């Protein structure tokens, strides 16, 4: 009865591709949990809207409540009686927290690097995808904006004083990520889910982190190649997709409207110049040591980036 009377929930997230309901890790976590818990949620992709740069994604709207970040959204859903963890023991609940912390510390930086810092993947996959789903003129700005957030976040979590160049921490990032994937594979074993026959919040987090790495058509694939050797993890992703998302049909992108308006062409030229400047700044950030002053207070940067960085 409470569920029927509950206020309608709307989830803003990045949209579908690569056979996934969203290409975005944090969006996937929440989407999977809504399925596991039986929550009724209206999904509103931000693709092709001005929210591609203004929204903190994922974002759950329910009545007067606006909730961001996966952990907070999942807690909110539990309070609405949509709980996929109600059968977990205290020990399993503690294990869930430990593995989620492991994902954030060990796997998140490598995912950010794979999609946003690796030059080949960024140029051929990530940048075109996010640009094609952002309206003009944001299509020039959104990818660089998110790439800079991703790079800053990696350096804040992995850099030691003074902050390294990104190239100096790459080896550690990927070795940590492979170790994390190995631990997840060992923990899952031959089971369908991490705690038995029903998926829980841990399954939602693992799915959100692992599925994009498994399904994206990445030109540069060191971490993807390692994941695909762990067949139980890729099978886990396929099982979740088949059991919970097989009826979801991704919508094709709307046709691009051509225009020859002279003012629009002038604006395009201006935005191109702006984009070139951003790219130069981006290149400098990737190749130069970070100034110590940037490290004064990492917390605002982390909290600002956590809910909006696609990866």
């Amino acid at each position: 009865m409470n569920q029927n009377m509950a206020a309608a929930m709307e989830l803003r997230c990045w949209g579908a591709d690569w056979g996934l309901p969203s290409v975005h890790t944090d969006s996937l976590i929440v989407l999977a949990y809504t399925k596991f818990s039986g929550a009724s949620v209206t999904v509103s992709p931000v693709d092709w809207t001005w929210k591609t740069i203004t929204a903190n994604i994922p974002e759950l709207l329910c009545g007067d409540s606006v909730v961001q970040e996966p952990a907070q959204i999942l807690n909110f859903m539990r309070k609405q009686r949509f709980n996929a963890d109600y059968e977990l023991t205290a020990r399993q609940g503690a294990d869930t927290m430990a593995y989620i912390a492991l994902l954030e510390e060990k796997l998140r930086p490598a995912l950010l690097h794979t999609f946003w810092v690796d030059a080949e993947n960024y140029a051929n996959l990530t940048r075109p995808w996010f640009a094609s789903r952002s309206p003009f003129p944001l299509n020039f700005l959104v990818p660089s904006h998110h790439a800079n957030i991703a790079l800053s976040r990696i350096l804040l979590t992995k850099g030691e004083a003074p902050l390294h160049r990104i190239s100096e921490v790459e080896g550690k990032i990927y070795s940590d990520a492979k170790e994390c994937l190995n631990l997840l594979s060992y923990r899952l074993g031959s089971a369908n889910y991490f705690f038995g026959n029903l998926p829980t919040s841990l399954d939602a987090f693992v799915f959100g982190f692992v599925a994009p790495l498994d399904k994206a058509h990445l030109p540069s694939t060191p971490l993807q190649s390692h994941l695909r050797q762990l067949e139980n993890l890729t099978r886990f992703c396929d099982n979740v997709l088949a059991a919970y998302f097989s009826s979801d049909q991704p919508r094709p992108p709307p046709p691009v409207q051509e225009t020859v308006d002279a003012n629009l062409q002038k604006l395009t030229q201006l935005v191109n110049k702006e984009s070139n400047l951003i790219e130069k700044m981006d290149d400098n950030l990737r190749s130069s040591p970070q100034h110590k002053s940037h490290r004064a207070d990492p917390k605002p940067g982390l909290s600002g980036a956590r809910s909006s960085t696609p990866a």
Side-chain angles (χ1 to χ4, degrees):
M1 185 171 179
N2 284 343
Q3 292 181 5
N4 292 332
M5 296 174 63
M9 292 186 285
E10 177 189 356
L11 179 67
R12 292 175 179 167
C13 61
W14 285 103
D17 206 354
W18 316 333
L20 299 173
S22 174
V23 303
H24 178 225
T25 284
D26 288 352
S27 298
L28 270 183
I29 292 168
V30 178
L31 286 167
Y33 188 83
T34 63
K35 296 286 190 179
F36 299 165
S37 65
S40 178
V41 175
T42 300
V43 178
S44 300
V46 297
D47 309 32
W48 307 290
T49 74
W50 285 85
K51 293 186 181 72
T52 54
I53 204 165
T54 61
N56 288 310
I57 302 166
E59 185 173 69
L60 186 73
L61 311 176
C62 181
D64 296 330
S65 300
V66 179
V67 193
Q68 297 160 351
E69 299 191 14
Q72 300 302 321
I73 294 174
L74 268 56
N75 283 336
F76 181 86
M77 288 185 176
R78 291 187 191 106
K79 292 176 182 176
Q80 307 298 310
R81 304 285 183 89
F82 298 108
N83 189 354
D85 294 348
Y86 68 95
E87 289 189 351
L88 294 185
T89 65
R91 173 63 186 272
Q92 290 172 330
D95 285 351
T96 295
M97 299 296 290
Y99 276 100
I100 290 173
L102 184 75
L103 287 165
E104 292 289 353
E105 180 188 351
K106 302 290 190 183
L107 192 51
R108 174 85 70 176
L111 286 182
L112 292 172
H113 190 282
T114 295
F115 284 93
W116 293 99
V117 181
D118 182 289
E120 196 174 354
N121 292 338
Y122 178 70
N124 293 292
L125 178 74
T126 315
R127 180 181 177 84
W129 195 95
F130 284 92
S132 71
R133 281 155 178 83
S134 304
F136 175 87
L138 295 186
N139 56 320
F140 293 98
L141 307 177
V142 166
S144 295
H145 170 71
H146 287 304
N148 286 329
I149 290 175
L151 184 62
S152 298
R153 187 168 172 189
I154 292 171
L155 290 171
L156 285 168
T157 55
K158 287 297 180 184
E160 299 171 0
L163 286 179
H164 295 301
R165 292 181 178 90
I166 188 64
S167 58
E168 294 174 354
V169 295
E170 283 179 13
K172 175 66 172 169
I173 286 170
Y174 281 101
S175 64
D176 280 355
K178 290 175 182 178
E179 178 188 355
C180 178
L181 290 172
N182 290 345
L183 287 170
L184 291 172
S185 176
Y186 179 78
R187 177 64 184 80
L188 180 63
S190 59
N192 288 329
Y193 303 109
F194 282 85
F195 295 115
N197 293 322
L198 291 174
T200 66
S201 58
L202 177 57
D203 297 280
F205 271 86
V206 174
F207 178 72
F209 275 82
V210 174
L213 182 63
D214 180 32
K215 299 302 183 183
H217 305 296
L218 294 167
S220 177
T221 62
L223 191 57
Q224 188 180 68
S225 298
H226 183 81
L227 169 62
R228 288 181 175 170
Q229 295 172 26
L230 306 173
E231 294 182 0
N232 62 339
L233 283 183
T234 59
R235 186 170 61 249
F236 163 81
C237 293
D238 290 338
N239 289 344
V240 170
L241 288 169
Y244 292 95
F245 294 100
S246 59
S247 62
D248 295 353
Q249 296 296 326
R251 289 175 294 181
V256 177
Q257 295 181 350
E258 299 293 337
T259 178
V260 292
D261 183 84
N263 291 328
L264 188 58
Q265 289 181 345
K266 288 179 182 178
L267 182 57
T268 302
Q269 292 169 357
L270 288 173
V271 174
N272 271 324
K273 290 180 181 178
E274 177 80 10
S275 182
N276 288 335
L277 285 174
I278 290 174
E279 286 297 308
K280 288 179 181 177
M281 291 169 62
D282 194 22
D283 290 340
N284 289 336
L285 184 59
R286 290 165 190 263
S287 60
S288 301
Q290 306 301 298
H291 297 297
K292 291 182 182 180
S293 60
H294 288 175
R295 196 176 172 82
D297 185 4
K299 291 183 181 177
L302 279 173
S303 61
R306 183 165 308 221
S307 61
S308 59
T309 307

